[in-house]
Amino acid sequence: MGSSLGLCPGRAPTSSQLFLFFAVGSDVQPGTEMEIIVEETLSVRDCLKIMLEKSGLLGDAWHLRKMDWCYEAGEPLCDEDATLKELTICSGDTLLLIEGKLPPLGFLTVPIWWYQPQHPSGHWKSHQDRRNCTPSQGGIWRAISAQGAPGDVHAEVSLHYLGDIDISEDATLMELKSQAMTLPSFSEFVIPSPAFLRAWTVESKRPSRLLRADQQQLKEYKLGRRTEICLEPLQKEENLGPQDVLLRTQMRLPGERAYALPMNMVWDAARGWTAGSLRQRVADFYSLPVEKIEIAKYFPEKFEWLPISSWNQQITKRKKKKKQDNLQGAPYHLKDGDTIGVKNLLAEDDDDFSTVTDDIGKEKQKQLALGKRKSQEALRVQSSHVFSGAETPARPRGPEASLSIHVGSFR
């Protein structure tokens, strides 16, 4: 009662057939999917040919990916000789026709990006003016660009696409860097050797995970076939240990709601990921007394700063024991590449870490959320009018009754 059935032309698929949706590209618009019925014993290669023919596409530089649960292109169907049944393809799944030929088994096709963060020092420039950093009174560092403007912590991450490379999973990270330097678009950058490059994975168009061991094989990083890599230039070679954490620190400019350009700081977390240890490292880095600084982690997706205090040890109600703070856990989730704001209490004594750009970003998010809520309400009103005008009888509701929950003792 109340179910809706759709009448579709053609015979229904048999028990050995699959009804599939497919579309061209990863940016699938609603209503643009095509339909196909194939045997479950069909190979991926033959399925690809049928879909290309039905789409009117030519050439063999295409491959199939299965759409994942969040409606994005998932892992590619690499074994083109495997059957759809062996790859657990089910009726109702959506396959995407993606341009580009798959690399041989054991190889990865890795998109390479150039990552140029705003730094007062610590990296090689291309054909651009260098920025410098000069100390001023009170232990404050002010980063000055060519125009003399302070750095903006909210500046968009500068990623420049260089190209794709095909590389074996058995290759090392150093070999990946070397091969990336052979891309034609890499020639505009001045890099002495692969050792002067820092590698990150890319997620949501931002650097995500730092790949630190140059002699480690790519398969040990478990990159996956969807991983993209960005390369960051360095002024000198670095050798980060397994317990070293790379952070971007920014000194707040006194009297201004702004920060100096970020500086790379390596923190040895071998003694624990504690707030006290990090505060001491930051104080030493800026040659300030530890009791005269305040630090906070920046969350760019929320435009928020979360102060990191050394007094956040918690006492549980039952055991009355101190719980050691760990910045890797909630609410900080500290990792390589995070931005740490630093405030010099000798020059400025307040607890505000925000900037004008934070205010603007939060207001934009608020307006977007308000617009989304209004559109959802409009859709609800529209759908209620549609269903109220239909002659389909409403499903009767049963009488309400009280509910009691009894929890037994398991002691």
Side-chain angles (χ1 to χ4, degrees):
M1 180 66 68
S3 297
S4 299
L5 299 179
L7 189 63
C8 301
R11 291 180 175 273
T14 65
S15 59
S16 64
Q17 291 180 322
L18 299 175
F19 174 78
L20 302 174
F21 298 98
F22 70 98
V24 179
S26 57
D27 187 16
V28 182
Q29 300 298 323
T32 60
E33 302 96 335
M34 291 172 275
E35 303 166 0
I36 193 172
I37 296 178
V38 295
E39 294 290 335
E40 63 182 4
T41 55
L42 191 71
S43 69
V44 172
R45 181 178 286 105
D46 292 338
C47 182
L48 174 61
K49 291 179 181 178
I50 294 174
M51 291 181 174
L52 287 173
E53 183 179 348
K54 195 167 182 179
S55 304
L57 299 173
L58 301 175
D60 58 353
W62 296 85
H63 66 277
L64 288 176
R65 290 177 183 259
K66 182 180 176 182
M67 182 181 284
D68 59 19
W69 62 274
C70 54
Y71 300 98
E72 295 180 351
E75 292 290 334
L77 307 184
C78 299
D79 190 356
E80 294 187 329
D81 294 323
T83 66
L84 299 177
K85 183 178 181 180
E86 291 172 342
L87 298 179
T88 64
I89 303 297
C90 305
S91 285
D93 285 346
T94 300
L95 300 182
L96 301 177
L97 284 165
I98 306 296
E99 192 170 7
K101 196 170 181 65
L102 285 175
L105 290 178
F107 278 74
L108 298 172
T109 297
V110 184
I112 302 296
W113 297 79
W114 179 261
Y115 172 39
Q116 188 73 72
Q118 283 190 327
H119 279 309
S121 62
H123 66 267
W124 290 83
K125 288 286 186 179
S126 58
H127 305 294
Q128 300 176 356
D129 294 332
R130 293 180 183 268
R131 290 185 171 93
N132 54 31
C133 184
T134 58
S136 60
Q137 294 180 353
I140 302 297
W141 285 77
R142 177 184 291 269
I144 304 298
S145 68
Q147 294 78 24
D152 184 7
V153 68
H154 313 87
E156 289 295 323
V157 174
S158 177
L159 290 179
H160 173 65
Y161 177 68
L162 298 178
D164 293 353
I165 62 172
D166 292 333
I167 190 167
S168 170
E169 293 178 327
D170 295 327
T172 63
L173 180 61
M174 179 65 78
E175 290 171 331
L176 181 143
K177 295 177 182 179
S178 300
Q179 190 168 335
M181 291 180 66
T182 63
L183 292 169
S185 53
F186 200 95
S187 58
E188 63 177 287
F189 303 108
V190 183
I191 301 296
S193 73
F196 287 79
L197 291 171
R198 181 186 290 149
W200 303 80
T201 61
V202 177
E203 291 182 13
S204 303
K205 299 181 181 180
R206 301 182 68 91
S208 176
R209 178 163 63 104
L210 177 62
L211 308 179
R212 59 183 68 227
D214 279 340
Q215 300 307 319
Q216 188 168 327
Q217 291 181 317
L218 299 180
K219 62 183 179 183
E220 296 177 6
Y221 285 109
K222 300 179 181 179
L223 297 179
R225 293 185 174 271
R226 298 176 59 190
T227 302
E228 301 181 11
I229 300 293
C230 65
L231 299 176
E232 176 188 354
L234 300 172
Q235 181 80 26
K236 60 182 180 180
E237 299 182 30
E238 70 176 7
N239 184 22
L240 297 177
Q243 297 296 329
D244 289 337
V245 185
L246 178 67
L247 300 173
R248 319 281 194 190
T249 61
Q250 291 192 267
M251 177 64 75
R252 189 173 176 89
L253 303 177
E256 304 178 36
R257 295 185 68 195
Y259 289 85
L261 289 175
M263 301 179 68
N264 284 335
M265 184 193 76
V266 177
W267 170 41
D268 183 4
R271 296 183 179 180
W273 289 65
T274 63
S277 174
L278 177 59
R279 286 169 55 84
Q280 186 63 59
R281 176 67 184 103
V282 173
D284 295 341
F285 186 74
Y286 284 98
S287 301
L288 291 169
V290 68
E291 67 274 6
K292 293 300 180 181
I293 65 166
E294 289 294 341
I295 61 176
K297 177 187 169 178
Y298 185 59
F299 292 86
E301 67 280 358
K302 299 179 180 178
F303 297 96
E304 291 181 353
W305 297 86
L306 183 60
I308 300 176
S309 172
S310 59
W311 304 102
N312 61 347
Q313 291 179 335
Q314 301 173 358
I315 302 177
T316 60
K317 293 183 179 179
R318 292 185 178 180
K319 298 184 178 180
K320 301 292 183 182
K321 290 183 179 180
K322 289 186 178 181
K323 181 180 178 182
Q324 185 68 32
D325 56 339
N326 189 328
L327 298 181
Q328 284 182 298
Y332 299 104
H333 302 288
L334 196 67
K335 62 184 185 304
D336 290 306
D338 280 347
T339 296
I340 301 295
V342 184
K343 185 174 292 189
N344 181 3
L345 299 182
L346 294 173
E348 186 178 26
D349 189 8
D350 64 69
D351 55 358
D352 180 29
F353 280 88
S354 65
T355 67
V356 175
T357 313
D358 289 327
D359 299 339
I360 297 173
K362 285 185 177 181
E363 183 62 28
K364 286 182 179 179
Q365 288 184 339
K366 183 179 178 180
Q367 295 300 325
L368 287 173
L370 183 61
K372 186 177 181 181
R373 190 159 52 245
K374 287 182 178 179
S375 63
Q376 289 174 346
E377 290 175 357
L379 286 174
R380 276 198 297 269
V381 172
Q382 184 179 0
S383 61
S384 65
H385 288 325
V386 171
F387 286 112
S388 63
E391 298 180 358
T392 304
R395 185 177 299 181
R397 295 182 60 182
E400 295 183 358
S402 61
L403 179 65
S404 299
I405 300 176
H406 299 279
V407 180
S409 177
F410 295 95
R411 293 182 180 177

